[in-house]
């Protein structure tokens, strides 16, 4: 019998953390973070980690597991997530996955396999991207694997490089794994999606960015930069905009850069989760949300 797993997903800033902390104690759940950046130690302000007091009240998994100098792969995260679920279930508790990284959710709960890597091939591809730009390599991907290219934005250098790396290392198309299209979990899975009207979500994002900057996000980024950050960690929202800002970029301009990037990312997150037919949608503003979620998870367990 597969483990029963609940999940709360949605765009950044929608309110996933607050509702997960409210509901977890009510059905004996422990939270498994499916945020691709909260796994890094020291990346606290920009990833909006729950404060230590909240993590004392509700057990959390997959937070602060690695240093930002590590480059954690999706396959590694998959193994850690599944181990956390097994540990929680073995102790008679309920795993509650929470986050906005759709790829990491599917990696943990679905039968997805991740092809091997080659540092040499990857380095060569990244050198090409640096000199030619991601669009040139995206054009190559269109020729080699049009199905994969159709799902990857021409400016998404990291995913383009990964798709081309897989093709070169394995000799097979990156899009070959059709498990991506099936939405079939290895668990008894129930997914609650949190959604808000777009203007309300955007206002929350702006407030969130302002709060992060006032709490010292730029100092946090500079401290991590001085200690060293791997490629993956340096791509995090907010961190990337600060790291890549020219010296003459004002604080207000950096703030606007982060807001714009976060809004764009939120749209992509919602589109990703809307594409998953298993997600049932709820509004965080619903005064009876906790009760509705409890009913939903009970009905699907």
């Amino acid at each position: 019998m597969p483990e029963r797993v609940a999940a709360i997903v949605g765009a950044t800033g929608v309110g996933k953390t607050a509702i997960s902390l409210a509901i977890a104690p009510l059905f004996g759940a422990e939270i498994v973070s499916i945020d691709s950046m909260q796994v890094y130690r020291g990346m606290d302000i920009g990833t909006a980690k729950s404060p230590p007091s909240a993590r004392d009240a509700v057990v959390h998994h997959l937070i602060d597991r690695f240093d930002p100098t590590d480059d954690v792969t999706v396959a590694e995260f998959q193994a850690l997530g599944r181990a956390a679920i097994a540990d929680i279930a073995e102790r008679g508790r309920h795993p509650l996955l929470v986050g906005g990284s759709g790829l990491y959710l599917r990696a943990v709960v679905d039968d997805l396999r991740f092809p091997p890597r080659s540092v040499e091939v990857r380095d060569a591809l990244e050198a090409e991207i640096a000199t030619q730009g991601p669009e040139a390599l995206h054009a190559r991907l269109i020729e080699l694997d049009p199905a994969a290219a159709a799902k990857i934005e021409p400016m998404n250098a990291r995913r383009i490089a990964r798709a081309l790396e897989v093709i070169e290392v394995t000799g097979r198309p990156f899009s070959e794994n059709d498990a991506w299209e099936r939405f079939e979990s290895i668990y008894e899975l129930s997914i609650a999606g949190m959604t808000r009207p777009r203007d309300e979500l955007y206002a929350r994002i702006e407030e969130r960015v302002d709060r992060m900057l006032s709490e010292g996000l730029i100092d946090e980024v500079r401290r991590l930069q001085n200690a060293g950050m791997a490629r993956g960690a340096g791509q995090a929202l907010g961190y990337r905009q600060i790291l890549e800002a020219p010296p003459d970029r004002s604080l207000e301009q950096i703030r606007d850069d982060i807001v714009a990037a976060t809004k764009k990312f939120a749209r992509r997150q919602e589109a990703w989760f809307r594409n998953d037919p298993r997600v049932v949608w709820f509004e965080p503003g619903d005064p009876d949300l906790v009760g509705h979620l409890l009913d939903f998870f009970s009905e699907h367990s």
Side-chain angles (χ1 to χ4, degrees), residues 12-26:
T12 186
V14 78
K16 302 180 296 294
T17 298
I19 190 59
S20 67
L21 291 172
I23 196 172
L26 301 179

Side-chain angles (χ1 to χ4, degrees), residues 22-34:
I23 196 172
L26 301 179
F27 72 110
E30 296 181 11
I31 292 174
V32 180
S33 168
I34 48 169

